[in-house]
C-alpha cells in the first residue's frame, strides 16, 4: 500500500503542464511513466553561462547577451545560413541558423526589439557570432537562463532543456516527506534533507555537486540502496516464515562422503555446515553456493541431496543444459549407489518411454533423486514429497522457472532451495544482487590443481600461436579457440568465428568444431559432445562455451581480442581448462590499439596472469571497470539504480545493508514513527509502479 503523501509523485507525467501526447512517449522512454521517474532522472553534467557583451565575448565559451535585434539576411545560396545582425552598446554580434524557417526566425528575433540571447561564442573573420543560440528570450523571461544549467540525458524528441523545464515543474509539487534516516547518521554525514537533496540534484552549484560523493547525491544513493535492502530483507523474512521440512544429516551422506575419492576442503565443509543448519531449522532455505569453476560445488550439493533423502524426502538437481545434466547424472549415480540412493535422469529430449517410468517414480515417491534440465519444472512432473531443489548455474534460469520447481512441494511446506553459481562477484554486488539469499562461498580450491600458465600477447603473434597450437594438437592435446566478442553485431561476430574456424581447419589439416550463439541448442550440444568425446581436437567458439562443462583433456585455450572481455568473463572462459593433471596454458591475444588503450589492456589482462582466484579477479575487475556493467548484471536482473553506483558507493551499500537489518530487527512491522517514514522510503523507490506489466 502506497502512503498517501506519495500520491503526487505517482501520477502520470502527462499530468504535468507541458506534457502532451507529443512529448509523453519521449518522457516515458527517457525516464518512465510517472512524475517520480522524471524527478529521479539525475543530470549528467552542467553548462556554465556567463554574462558577456559583444566586446567581451570569449570564443568557445557560452555567453548571455542582452542584444537589440537587427535585420535578417537570407542565405544567398543553399548551404549558407540565415543571419540576424544584432548589437549591444559595445558592438555587433551575428546570430546564425543553418536551415530553419525564415518565419520562425523572424518571430524569434523581431527587428528593433531587445532579446536575451545565450549560446556558444564563435569568431569568424573577427566577427562575433552565435550559431544556433540555445535561448532567444524576451527580457521578462530572462530568469529561464541560469548561470549553471544542469544537463540531462536527452532523447529523440526531448531536449535537455525540455527535460529541465518539466523537472522544475515537477519539483514545485514535491511533497514534504517525513525523515527516514537516522538523525544521528544524517548529522554525522552532513547530509541534507530529502527535499533539499532533490533540489540540489536538479540545481547543482558546480561540478562538485555532480560528484557521487557530494552530500545530496550520496544521500539519494543511500536512500535508494536502503530502500532496496529493506525490500530484500523483508523478502527474506517472508521466506523464512514459510514452514519447510526438517532435514537432518544421516547415514547416506556419511557413506557418500567415504565413497568420495577425496576429502572435503575447509570451504566445502563450511558450506555443508551452513546448508545443514538451514535444512534443520524448519524454515525454508534459500542459499547461494558461490564458488569458482572447479571449486567443488557438486560434492557439496550431493551431500545435501543425500541428507534430504535420508530424512524421507525427494530431491531434485536442475542444470541448464542437457550436457550438464547428463554429466552430473553420470558422476553422481555411482556415488549415490554407494549410499543406497537411486537417481534418474530427466531431460526434454528423452522419448516418452524413457520419461514415463521416471515420472511415475517421482509421483509415486519410489524415486528419491532426479537430475534434469528445464524438463523438471514442467507441469507433467509431480513429486510425492519434494524437500530440496538444487539449481546449478542459477543465473541461467529465470526467477519464475526456479519458482515453478519450488512450487512442486507437498503438504510438508516449502521446498528448500540451494542455488549454485560459478560467477564470483565482489561482496558489494553480492549484497545488492543476492541480498535476499544467504551466501556460502567456496573460496578455497581443491588441492593438487595444476596452475594454468597464462600468456598475454599482441594479436600480431596470432600466426605463431596457431602454429604452436597445431604442434600441440598433433601431440594429442585438445584446445579451445575463443573468438572476438563484437557487441554491436552478432552477425559480424559469427562471421569472424566462421572464418577463424575455416582458417584453423586449413592450417591443422583436419576439421575443427565450431560453436556459436546462433546455433540451435541441440546442434550446439552435438558439437560439444564431439569435443567431449575427443573426436574434435579443436573447438572454435564464441563466448557460448558451456560454463560447467568438464573436458579434462582440453588443456589449451587461445582467446582472441581478450581486451574486449571483462576479466571475470575471461576467468570463466579460462576455467574450461586446467582440469586435469596435465599442464594447461591459456594465451590471451590483445589488439594493441593506437588509441593508447593498448597499455591499460595489457595491465588489466596482466591480473589474469598473476592470479587464478576468481574472487580476487572479480574485485579487481570491479575496481578497474567501475560502475559500468562488468559482469553483465543488468541482463541478469541486477537492479538498475538511478543514484547509486556500486563502485563509487560501495561502503554506503554495506552501511545500508546493515541499516536495513537493524531497522527491521528493531521494528519488524515498521510501526514506530521512524518505521512509518521508512515505509514511505520503500514505497518511494518501488519500481513496480513504473513497469508496464506491473511486476
Ligand atoms: P564446480 O564447482 O565447478 O561445479 P566440480 O564440483 O565439478 O566443480 O568439481 C571439480 C573437480 O574437482 C571435480 O573433478 C571434483 O571431483 C573435484 N573435487 C571436488 N572437491 C574436491 C576436493 N575436496 N579435493 C579434490 N578434488 C575435488
Ligand atoms: Mg559445476
Amino acid at each position: 500500500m502506497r502512503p498517501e503523501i506519495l500520491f503526487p509523485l505517482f501520477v502520470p507525467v502527462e499530468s504535468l503542464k507541458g506534457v502532451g501526447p507529443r512529448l509523453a512517449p519521449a518522457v516515458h522512454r527517457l525516464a518512465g511513466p510517472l512524475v517520480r521517474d522524471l524527478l529521479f532522472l539525475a543530470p549528467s553534467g552542467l553548462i556554465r553561462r556567463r554574462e558577456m557583451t559583444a566586446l567581451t565575448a570569449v570564443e568557445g565559451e557560452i555567453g548571455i547577451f542582452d542584444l537589440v535585434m537587427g535585420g535578417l539576411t537570407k542565405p544567398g545560396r543553399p548551404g549558407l545560413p540565415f543571419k540576424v545582425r544584432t548589437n549591444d552598446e559595445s558592438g555587433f554580434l551575428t546570430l546564425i541558423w543553418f536551415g530553419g524557417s525564415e518565419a520562425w526566425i523572424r518571430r524569434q528575433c523581431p527587428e528593433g526589439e531587445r532579446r536575451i540571447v545565450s549560446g556558444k561564442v564563435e569568431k569568424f573573420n573577427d566577427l562575433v557570432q552565435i550559431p544556433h543560440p540555445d535561448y532567444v528570450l524576451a527580457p521578462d523571461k530572462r530568469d529561464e537562463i541560469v548561470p549553471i544549467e544542469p544537463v540531462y540525458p536527452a532523447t529523440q524528441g526531448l531536449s535537455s532543456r525540455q527535460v529541465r523545464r518539466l523537472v522544475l515543474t515537477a519539483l514545485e509539487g514535491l511533497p514534504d516527506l517525513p525523515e527516514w534516516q537516522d538523525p544521528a547518521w544524517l548529522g554525522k554525514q552532513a547530509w541534507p534533507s530529502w527535499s533539499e537533496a532533490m533540489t540540489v540534484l536538479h540545481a547543482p552549484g558546480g561540478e562538485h555537486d555532480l560528484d557521487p560523493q557530494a552530500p545530496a547525491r550520496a544521500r539519494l544513493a543511500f536512500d535508494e540502496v536502503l530502500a532496496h535492502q529493506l525490500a530484500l530483507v523483508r523478502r527474506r523474512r517472508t521466506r523464512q516464515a514459510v514452514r519447510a521440512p526438517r532435514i537432518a544429516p544421516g547415514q547416506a551422506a556419511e557413506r557418500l562422503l567415504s565413497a568420495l575419492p577425496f576429502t572435503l576442503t575447509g570451504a566445502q565443509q563450511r558450506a555443508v555446515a551452513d546448508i545443514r543448519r538451514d535444512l534443520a531449522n524448519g524454515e525454508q532455505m534459500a542459499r547461494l553456493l558461490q564458488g569458482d569453476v572447479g571449486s567443488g560445488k557438486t560434492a557439496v550439493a550431493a551431500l545435501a541431496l543425500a541428507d534430504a533423502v535420508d530424512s524421507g524426502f525427494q530431491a531434485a538437481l536442475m542444470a541448464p543444459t542437457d550436457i550438464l545434466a547428463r554429466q552430473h547424472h553420470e558422476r553422481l549415480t555411482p556415488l549415490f549407489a554407494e549410499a543406497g540412493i537411486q537417481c534418474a535422469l530427466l531431460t526434454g529430449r528423452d522419448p516418452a518411454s524413457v520419461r514415463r517410468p521416471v515420472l511415475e517414480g517421482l509421483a509415486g515417491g519410489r524415486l528419491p533423486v532426479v537430475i534434469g534440465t528445464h524438463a523438471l519444472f514442467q507441469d507433467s512432473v509431480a513429486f510425492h514429497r519434494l524437500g530440496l531443489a538444487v539449481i546449478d548455474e542459477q543465473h541461467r534460469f529465470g526467477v519464475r522457472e526456479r519458482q515453478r520447481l519450488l512450487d512442486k512441494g507437498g503438504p510438508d511446506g516449502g521446498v528448500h532451495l540451494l542455488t549454485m553459481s560459478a560467477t564470483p562477484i565482489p561482496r558489494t554486488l553480492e549484497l545488492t544482487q543476492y541480498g535476499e539469499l544467504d551466501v556460502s562461498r567456496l573460496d578455497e580450491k581443491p588441492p593438487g590443481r595444476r596452475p594454468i600458465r597464462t600468456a598475454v600477447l599482441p594479436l600480431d603473434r596470432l600466426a605463431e600461436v596457431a602454429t604452436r597450437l597445431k604442434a600441440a594438437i598433433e601431440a594429442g592435446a585438445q584446445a579451445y579457440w575463443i573468438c572476438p566478442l563484437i557487441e554491436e553485431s552478432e552477425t559480424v561476430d559469427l562471421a569472424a568465428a566462421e572464418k577463424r574456424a575455416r582458417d584453423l581447419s586449413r592450417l591443422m589439416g583436419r576439421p575443427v568444431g565450431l560453436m556459436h550463439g546462433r546455433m540451435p541448442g541441440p546442434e550446439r550440444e552435438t558439437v560439444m559432445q564431439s569435443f567431449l568425446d575427443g573426436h574434435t581436437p579443436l573447438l572454435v567458439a564464441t563466448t557460448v562455451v558451456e560454463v560447467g562443462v568438464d573436458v579434462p583433456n582440453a588443456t589449451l585455450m587461445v582467446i582472441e581480442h581478450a581486451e574486449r572481455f571483462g576479466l571475470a568473463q575471461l576467468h570463466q572462459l579460462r576455467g574450461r581448462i586446467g582440469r586435469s593433471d596435465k599442464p594447461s596454458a591459456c594465451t590471451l591475444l590483445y589488439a594493441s590499439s593506437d588509441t593508447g588503450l593498448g597499455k591499460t589492456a595489457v595491465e588489466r589482462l596482466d591480473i589474469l596472469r598473476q592470479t587464478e582466484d576468481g574472487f580476487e579477479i572479480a574485485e579487481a575487475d570491479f575496481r578497474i571497470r567501475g560502475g559500468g556493467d562488468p559482469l553483465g548484471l543488468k541482463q541478469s536482473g541486477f537492479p538498475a539504480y538511478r543514484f547509486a553506483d556500486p563502485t563509487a558507493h560501495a561502503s554506503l551499500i554495506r552501511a545500508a545493508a546493515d541499516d536495513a537489518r537493524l531497522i527491521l530487527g528493531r521494528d519488524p512491522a515498521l510501526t514506530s514513527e521512524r518505521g512509518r517514514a521508512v515505509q514511505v522510503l520503500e514505497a518511494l523507490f518501488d519500481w513496480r509502479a513504473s513497469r508496464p506489466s506491473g511486476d
Side-chain angles (χ1 to χ4, degrees):
M1 265 247 301
R2 181 173 306 132
E4 224 174 292
I5 195 166
L6 292 179
F7 287 0
L9 296 178
F10 282 77
V11 292
V13 281
E14 283 85 342
S15 65
L16 289 178
K17 196 168 136 280
V19 184
R22 212 172 41 80
L23 221 50
V27 179
H28 288 203
R29 234 182 2 236
L30 185 67
L34 303 175
V35 166
R36 184 267 320 254
D37 305 341
L38 188 65
L39 279 169
F40 282 7
L41 192 69
S44 51
L46 51 81
I47 295 176
R48 286 179 184 276
R49 298 180 191 276
R50 276 205 304 127
E51 304 266 352
M52 295 177 188
T53 67
L55 187 68
T56 60
V58 182
E59 186 167 16
E61 289 192 11
I62 296 162
I64 307 174
F65 299 87
D66 189 338
L67 301 167
V68 178
M69 301 293 114
L72 176 133
T73 317
K74 290 191 254 182
R77 55 179 170 77
L80 291 181
F82 285 103
K83 290 183 182 172
V84 173
R85 203 176 141 83
T86 72
N87 72 282
D88 59 17
E89 275 163 11
S90 73
F92 293 99
L93 192 152
T94 311
L95 308 182
I96 286 182
W97 283 269
F98 289 89
S101 92
E102 181 183 341
W104 180 81
I105 295 170
R106 280 195 194 284
R107 266 202 313 281
Q108 296 279 300
C109 312
E111 194 167 345
E113 292 192 22
R114 258 180 73 209
R115 285 293 178 265
I116 310 300
V117 175
S118 180
K120 188 163 179 177
V121 176
E122 281 184 4
K123 287 196 177 164
F124 188 70
N125 294 339
D126 273 350
L127 294 173
V128 183
Q129 59 185 39
I130 300 180
H132 300 270
D134 305 329
Y135 295 88
V136 180
L137 300 175
D140 61 331
K141 294 250 167 68
R142 186 195 176 100
D143 287 352
E144 277 187 32
I145 307 177
V146 285
I148 298 175
E149 181 182 312
V151 177
Y152 291 88
T155 179
Q156 185 90 47
L158 188 64
S159 67
S160 164
R161 242 176 87 191
Q162 283 171 303
V163 174
R164 175 163 172 259
R165 211 162 31 224
L166 296 176
V167 166
L168 289 176
T169 315
L171 275 175
E172 284 168 19
L174 204 64
D176 196 10
L177 302 180
E179 184 54 74
W180 46 75
Q181 298 291 1
D182 175 18
W185 165 251
L186 265 191
K188 187 162 157 260
Q189 300 289 323
W191 282 350
S193 71
W194 181 75
S195 56
E196 271 171 72
M198 288 301 292
T199 310
V200 172
L201 176 75
H202 294 295
E207 279 77 5
H208 56 274
D209 278 335
L210 300 177
D211 191 285
Q213 314 301 350
R217 293 221 170 192
R219 157 157 198 157
L220 293 172
F222 191 86
D223 288 341
E224 179 170 44
V225 179
L226 180 59
H228 182 218
Q229 291 294 324
L230 285 162
L232 291 175
V233 173
R234 199 196 285 282
R235 251 191 273 168
R236 187 152 152 181
R237 291 185 175 224
T238 313
R239 188 197 76 228
Q240 283 168 340
V242 173
R243 200 169 48 87
R246 283 185 195 274
I247 290 171
Q251 282 300 308
E254 280 308 312
R255 283 198 292 270
L256 200 145
L257 205 51
S258 44
L260 287 174
F262 48 77
T263 52
L264 297 185
T265 63
Q268 282 171 317
Q269 283 170 22
R270 284 190 293 277
V272 170
D274 289 345
I275 292 168
R276 286 188 161 159
R277 218 177 315 111
D278 291 352
L279 291 178
N281 70 8
E283 294 167 359
Q284 190 178 20
M285 169 171 82
R287 182 167 289 277
L288 171 69
L289 180 57
Q290 256 218 77
D292 221 340
V293 281
S295 60
K297 295 186 287 296
T298 320
V300 174
L303 290 169
L305 294 166
D307 280 348
V309 174
D310 233 7
S311 295
F313 295 93
Q314 289 173 299
L317 169 59
M318 186 159 77
T321 65
D322 253 63
I323 292 187
L324 277 174
R326 275 175 212 288
Q327 192 170 287
H328 278 314
H329 181 250
E330 259 166 47
R331 294 193 176 168
L332 291 178
T333 301
L335 285 177
F336 280 142
E338 293 286 328
I341 296 172
Q342 195 200 341
C343 95
L345 179 70
L346 187 76
T347 74
R349 273 209 263 150
D350 296 321
S353 57
V354 175
R355 293 162 50 93
R356 197 174 312 114
V358 177
L359 292 177
E360 284 169 7
L362 290 176
R366 287 185 307 281
L367 182 59
V369 174
V370 65
I371 297 173
T373 57
H374 293 74
L376 283 181
F377 56 74
Q378 307 304 329
D379 291 335
S380 56
V381 182
F383 290 85
H384 176 63
R385 252 191 124 181
L386 181 62
L388 168 68
V390 179
I391 300 184
D392 197 9
E393 309 300 341
Q394 55 94 26
H395 57 279
R396 300 272 299 268
F397 295 96
V399 176
R400 288 211 180 81
E401 294 175 326
R402 280 179 251 168
Q403 191 54 46
R404 278 180 72 188
L405 188 58
L406 296 186
D407 286 343
K408 293 184 189 289
D412 308 294
V415 174
H416 293 292
L417 173 67
L418 175 65
T419 60
M420 307 200 283
S421 167
T423 309
I425 62 170
R427 292 240 181 232
T428 310
L429 293 186
E430 197 173 279
L431 279 174
T432 54
Q433 192 177 20
Y434 299 128
E436 68 186 294
L437 299 177
D438 298 304
V439 180
S440 299
R441 289 183 153 208
L442 293 185
D443 47 12
E444 180 184 346
K445 283 237 167 125
R449 213 48 64 76
R450 290 278 206 109
I452 301 172
R453 205 159 32 82
T454 298
V456 179
L457 297 176
L459 255 179
D460 52 25
R461 306 261 305 264
L462 188 142
E464 180 193 328
V465 169
T467 311
R468 264 192 283 144
L469 191 64
K470 180 179 187 214
I473 281 176
E474 279 165 1
Q478 275 188 288
Y480 296 94
W481 187 291
I482 308 298
C483 273
L485 179 79
I486 299 169
E487 278 176 17
E488 312 85 68
S489 156
E490 235 181 283
T491 329
V492 181
D493 221 10
L494 179 53
E498 278 173 341
K499 178 167 185 315
R500 183 62 69 223
R502 271 198 311 276
D503 292 349
L504 287 171
S505 173
R506 204 174 305 129
L507 176 74
M508 308 280 155
R510 62 171 93 195
V512 308
L514 171 64
M515 193 161 86
H516 55 76
R518 288 279 190 88
M519 235 174 209
E523 201 177 312
R524 218 192 287 177
E525 294 202 9
T526 312
V527 174
M528 198 64 220
Q529 194 67 48
S530 161
F531 188 62
L532 190 60
D533 297 339
H535 299 317
T536 320
L538 177 64
L539 182 63
V540 175
T542 56
T543 50
V544 299
V545 208
E546 297 300 352
V547 167
V549 166
D550 199 3
V551 185
N553 194 46
T555 52
L556 301 172
M557 176 173 281
V558 178
I559 304 180
E560 263 188 70
H561 279 293
E563 80 282 358
R564 293 187 191 163
F565 297 85
L567 290 186
Q569 201 181 6
L570 288 170
H571 172 66
Q572 290 248 300
L573 287 166
R574 181 175 63 174
R576 307 296 95 228
I577 59 172
R579 303 187 144 237
S580 74
D581 44 11
K582 279 180 268 172
S584 288
C586 176
T587 307
L588 304 173
L589 294 173
Y590 67 92
S592 36
S593 73
D594 25 61
T595 55
L597 275 176
K599 194 158 159 276
T600 356
V602 175
E603 273 170 26
R604 207 162 63 82
L605 295 175
D606 213 48
I607 293 172
L608 288 172
R609 235 173 33 73
Q610 291 158 16
T611 178
E612 276 185 59
D613 180 326
F615 289 108
E616 214 174 290
I617 291 168
E619 295 283 353
D621 203 17
F622 185 57
R623 266 196 320 273
I624 295 172
R625 305 196 352 156
D629 188 20
L631 307 168
L633 294 176
K634 293 224 169 81
Q635 281 153 4
S636 57
F638 185 71
Y641 289 135
R642 289 288 181 106
F643 303 122
D645 168 346
T647 327
H649 298 123
S651 62
L652 284 186
I653 289 175
R654 284 191 291 274
D658 289 343
D659 211 14
R661 247 174 285 131
L662 212 68
I663 291 170
L664 285 169
R666 280 199 202 128
D667 179 13
L670 297 179
T671 45
S672 66
E673 193 184 335
R674 181 167 181 218
R676 285 195 304 276
V678 163
Q679 287 187 32
V680 172
L681 168 69
E682 242 191 286
L684 182 62
F685 281 96
D686 181 358
W687 291 104
R688 283 172 305 185
S690 296
R691 288 186 207 117
S693 60
D695 71 0

